[in-house]
Amino acid sequence: KRREQLKRILSSIRDEVARLKRLVSDLLNYGRPARLAVETVDVRKLVDETIALVRPQADEQGVEVTLEGDLSPAEVRGDRERLKSCFSNIAINALQAMPGGGHLNVRVSKMDGIVEVRMDDTGVGISEEALTKIFEPYFSTKQAGFGLGLAVTKTIVEEHHGSIEVHSVPHRGAAFTVRLPVAGARAAVED
């Protein structure tokens, strides 16, 4: 029993350290011009890694995570770490919207020179008013944080000549869609 309690405490500490690291990183990344370390990146693999990172928290909260879509590589030209940060920001926000459990469905697909990553959650959703401000710096509906996570995420996506959009119905969840040009497409990030 004591071992289980210790495991929960250590898990909470680990989650808090990760959250603080993200806050500091968001603050630093938001005000600094990007120096992208451009390489060919398999978005499918990055999404797999992101899911692996958030799965312990998801399991603890009773959130079922599913990954769908094309299993073949979905390559883009970009900065691996910044893109991974983008996907983990969205996934972590989804988990925070489902403290009592739910479902996070992640889909990776390729079409017409675009790699699309869509993350749908069954969380509390986003109000219509908040939707208009969701990507603005320092806007947050949460008690903790600076409201930079999604602003930084949008900046990262735009640095990669991509787009991000969100759709939501309050109390029924939210869906974030990131679209990036495939490696070799005209709009791909240059070295």
Side-chain angles (χ1 to χ4, degrees):
K1 186 176 179 180
R2 186 159 167 78
R3 182 180 292 247
E4 285 301 314
Q5 184 181 24
L6 183 60
K7 281 172 89 174
R8 281 195 308 275
I9 291 170
L10 288 175
S11 177
S12 293
I13 290 170
R14 185 195 72 229
D15 291 346
E16 187 63 14
V17 168
R19 186 184 72 80
L20 291 172
K21 183 179 175 189
R22 280 191 311 277
L23 286 175
V24 170
S25 179
D26 286 350
L27 277 171
L28 293 174
N29 287 331
Y30 188 73
R32 168 183 347 159
R35 277 187 243 121
L36 301 177
V38 178
E39 61 184 300
T40 299
V41 178
D42 181 357
V43 172
R44 173 64 187 217
K45 187 174 179 184
L46 276 186
V47 170
D48 285 341
E49 291 170 12
T50 300
I51 299 296
L53 282 173
V54 301
R55 191 168 299 280
Q57 182 181 347
D59 290 345
E60 191 174 298
Q61 289 179 215
V63 174
E64 181 184 349
V65 181
T66 56
L67 182 56
E68 299 177 343
D70 190 349
L71 296 177
S72 66
E75 294 181 336
V76 302
R77 294 286 295 159
D79 186 309
R80 174 180 174 62
E81 291 307 313
R82 289 185 60 85
L83 287 171
K84 191 172 183 179
S85 173
C86 165
F87 298 130
S88 51
N89 265 336
I90 296 169
I92 288 164
N93 279 350
L95 292 180
Q96 290 172 346
M98 299 181 285
H103 189 87
L104 174 61
N105 185 57
V106 183
R107 178 182 259 311
V108 179
S109 56
K110 295 179 290 187
M111 62 189 131
D112 302 325
I114 299 290
V115 174
E116 183 178 281
V117 177
R118 182 177 168 109
M119 295 191 188
D120 293 278
D121 68 61
T122 59
V124 296
I126 305 165
S127 73
E128 196 172 316
E129 179 186 344
L131 273 175
T132 64
K133 300 175 186 176
I134 199 88
F135 295 112
E136 290 180 12
Y138 308 110
F139 175 78
S140 181
T141 59
K142 302 175 213 161
Q143 297 285 344
F146 292 102
L148 286 174
L150 288 175
V152 169
T153 296
K154 183 175 190 228
T155 299
I156 292 168
V157 171
E158 289 173 349
E159 289 168 349
H160 289 81
H161 303 286
S163 65
I164 184 170
E165 62 185 41
V166 59
H167 298 284
S168 181
V169 175
H171 311 294
R172 295 181 68 194
F176 283 83
T177 305
V178 173
R179 292 182 184 92
L180 300 165
V182 298
R186 244 179 73 200
V189 178
E190 298 300 320
D191 289 311

